[in-house]
Amino acid sequence: MKLLIVSFLLLILNILYSSYVKYEHYKQAKMVVKIKDLKAENLQLEAYITNKINYYSVKDFAEGKNYQPVSWNDITFLNP
Amino acid sequence: MKAQGLTVKSEKKLKLVIFLIFALYFLVLARAFYIQVIAGENYVKKVLADFPKGRIIKITSYRGSVLDKNGQPLAISLPTISIYAFPKLIQNKQELADKLSKILGLPQFQILNTLNSKERFVWIARHVSQSDKGLVEQAILDTNNSKGVGVQSDFKRFYPNHNVASNLIGFVGWDGKGLDGMEYALNKSLGGKPIEVMTIFAPKEGKMVLKPLSIQDTGTQNDVYLTIDMGVQSIVEDIKNQIVKEFNPRRVAIVVEDVRNGNILGMATYPDFDPNDYYNYPQRDWRNSAVTDVFEPGSVMKSLFLRICHGQKVISSRGET
């Protein structure tokens, strides 16, 4: 009888532990998907920002604001 | 004695038989391991080659970024979608082509030609913006084509500065492998090994799908920092553009080097190209002439020789030897 009770308890514990593991696994899988989505969003935002602020757009913006580009003929090396 | 001798002999025989049985079991296990684990992919490929609907397709995976010395991105991986189709399973081709053409901005006849292809598997469009995913999926559903048309997530290489340092950075091919410049030279560090998937009929969904061949290792994807400084590079690009505007030369190559450690801070060449659509430029424009071409030093070197001679006191400042 004792053995029967012990095995029944073991069975219950096993079921409880299995459900806990399954729940944790589900939570982890959900987090992995969330991280993947966030990473994709981050990459897209990075591409959007770098495309907006690239060499050409910044140059156009500066010229639009009447910035005078440096004349490299006026630049000379200084004697240390 | 005789009986004892026989026993020893039979014992040896017994051991030999046991050894043979174990050796055979070991061989069977080793072969099973080889087929299942080591050569499993090759066997799947062999079977798929003869299978009427089967095909192996390469999907681009994430690749590390190429950055300048301050962390400014020069080349990054962008998540995109690609639209595939199994032409034999497609219905309402005209309607589907019309809808997709409006969403993707591609000519309708081009999509229709792809859908009428005799191939088992075709790509309708590759590396499309992820923002179009919902619209594309709706178009597939509306035309009742979910059995033969699908959307696959992948990655596209994006170069935010377009032509700037393009010959130095290089570009990647459709499968995400570096083909030129630093993209080619740093292929191992940047990673981005393509994922192989097979076309298979999914009975549960009742449609053709793309399924990974096995759990694939896409390798390590590292970001790579170059010694290039975008500030210096911008100056060099300006000078290059000025030279091109004034002299209309065949080629220009400018290199700025930190003489203390040999680091290359800027490198600009002309002709250049936009790595985002390198295929629209002639192959000669892809070349990094600052690295591949040999230039005659010419009169530029005279001043250097004079400086060395002066430094060694071979000549005086008056030019006397």
Side-chain angles (χ1 to χ4, degrees):
Chain A
M1 190 61 190
K2 269 184 191 173
L3 279 173
L4 210 72
I5 293 165
V6 170
S7 28
F8 182 71
L9 274 173
L10 267 173
L11 192 77
I12 299 285
L13 279 174
N14 197 7
I15 289 167
L16 283 173
Y17 184 68
S18 299
S19 51
Y20 167 72
V21 167
K22 265 205 137 183
Y23 171 70
E24 284 295 319
H25 182 261
Y26 169 74
K27 249 173 54 178
Q28 200 189 356
K30 230 175 148 183
M31 273 172 91
V32 168
V33 171
K34 200 178 170 186
I35 288 167
K36 219 178 149 188
D37 288 347
L38 283 173
K39 200 180 166 187
E41 202 185 324
N42 183 36
L43 283 169
Q44 268 173 339
L45 278 173
E46 192 184 355
Y48 177 77
I49 293 163
T50 47
N51 194 35
K52 282 272 173 202
I53 316 169
N54 64 19
Y55 166 75
Y56 297 104
S57 60
V58 170
K59 204 175 164 183
D60 285 348
F61 175 80
E63 279 170 4
K65 294 274 173 187
N66 290 330
Y67 164 77
Q68 291 297 315
V70 175
S71 167
W72 297 106
N73 294 326
D74 299 340
I75 307 282
T76 51
F77 287 106
L78 290 171
N79 221 352
Chain B
M1 281 296 280
K2 214 176 181 181
Q4 209 179 359
L6 270 174
T7 318
V8 172
K9 221 177 175 181
S10 50
E11 237 180 63
K12 272 185 182 174
K13 271 184 187 173
L14 192 68
K15 276 181 183 170
L16 185 72
V17 170
I18 290 168
F19 171 75
L20 279 174
I21 288 168
F22 273 101
L24 279 171
Y25 267 116
F26 177 75
L27 274 176
V28 170
L29 280 175
R31 181 73 183 151
F33 179 78
Y34 175 76
I35 291 171
Q36 290 285 328
V37 181
I38 299 166
E41 270 185 44
N42 290 335
Y43 279 102
V44 174
K45 283 178 192 173
K46 270 184 197 173
V47 172
L48 278 177
D50 300 327
F51 198 69
K53 286 176 186 169
R55 227 190 110 177
I56 289 171
I57 294 129
K58 284 181 179 173
I59 307 288
T60 46
S61 64
Y62 175 76
R63 189 174 160 88
S65 303
V66 179
L67 311 157
D68 86 331
K69 66 186 281 191
N70 301 314
Q72 280 250 50
L74 303 172
I76 49 177
S77 267
L78 182 65
T80 52
I81 52 160
S82 289
I83 305 147
Y84 63 87
F86 297 91
K88 281 183 186 172
L89 301 173
I90 303 171
Q91 315 165 30
N92 312 322
K93 287 183 181 175
Q94 186 71 43
E95 199 190 338
L96 180 68
D98 186 40
K99 286 198 173 189
L100 288 180
S101 138
K102 278 176 191 159
I103 299 164
L104 307 171
L106 289 171
Q108 194 188 3
F109 73 90
Q110 190 187 319
I111 298 174
L112 207 57
N113 280 349
T114 315
L115 296 178
N116 286 325
S117 161
K118 284 178 182 170
E119 295 279 328
R120 290 181 217 166
F121 172 91
V122 286
W123 288 111
I124 298 175
R126 294 204 76 177
H127 305 315
V128 180
S129 167
Q130 270 199 339
S131 56
D132 293 334
K133 194 178 178 183
L135 292 170
V136 171
E137 281 174 343
Q138 193 57 48
I140 295 167
L141 276 175
D142 289 348
T143 53
N144 207 9
N145 270 312
S146 52
K147 278 186 183 176
V149 186
V151 175
Q152 171 70 42
S153 299
D154 55 11
F155 285 90
K156 174 193 173 184
R157 204 65 168 154
F158 177 61
Y159 303 90
N161 291 303
H162 302 269
N163 289 43
V164 175
S166 54
N167 307 72
L168 170 73
I169 301 164
F171 54 88
V172 297
W174 282 104
D175 58 354
K177 259 187 182 177
L179 296 180
D180 207 358
M182 299 311 282
E183 290 274 29
Y184 174 73
L186 302 167
N187 213 16
K188 269 193 182 169
S189 308
L190 292 166
K193 214 171 132 190
I195 300 164
E196 286 187 320
V197 293
M198 58 181 172
T199 59
I200 195 166
F201 183 75
K204 214 175 175 184
E205 289 101 339
K207 62 179 184 181
M208 292 294 287
V209 290
L210 300 184
K211 194 183 168 216
L213 212 55
S214 58
I215 299 165
Q216 288 175 42
D217 177 23
T218 49
T220 48
Q221 295 108 8
N222 301 308
D223 291 346
V224 174
Y225 286 80
L226 303 183
T227 57
I228 295 291
D229 185 322
M230 260 312 276
V232 176
Q233 186 65 32
S234 306
I235 295 169
V236 172
E237 291 286 338
D238 280 350
I239 295 171
K240 180 191 82 179
N241 293 336
Q242 209 175 320
I243 292 169
V244 172
K245 210 174 162 186
E246 267 182 49
F247 304 102
N248 193 24
R250 271 188 300 155
R251 281 180 297 169
V252 179
I254 308 170
V255 180
V256 179
E257 185 183 340
D258 187 343
V259 285
R260 290 167 299 184
N261 46 29
N263 286 350
I264 304 294
L265 303 174
M267 186 183 275
T269 48
Y270 175 82
D272 52 26
F273 66 100
D274 184 354
N276 291 310
D277 47 14
Y278 64 92
Y279 38 82
N280 288 329
Y281 290 80
Q283 212 165 330
R284 63 172 185 276
D285 289 2
W286 302 348
R287 207 170 65 193
N288 184 357
S289 52
V291 177
T292 57
D293 290 16
V294 179
F295 290 95
E296 277 181 41
S299 297
V300 178
M301 296 303 285
K302 283 176 189 167
S303 53
L304 286 175
F305 285 128
L306 275 173
R307 176 71 187 87
I308 293 165
C309 289
H310 191 253
Q312 299 284 323
K313 299 202 168 126
V314 177
I315 54 166
S316 71
S317 51
R318 288 179 181 179
E320 294 157 351
T321 53

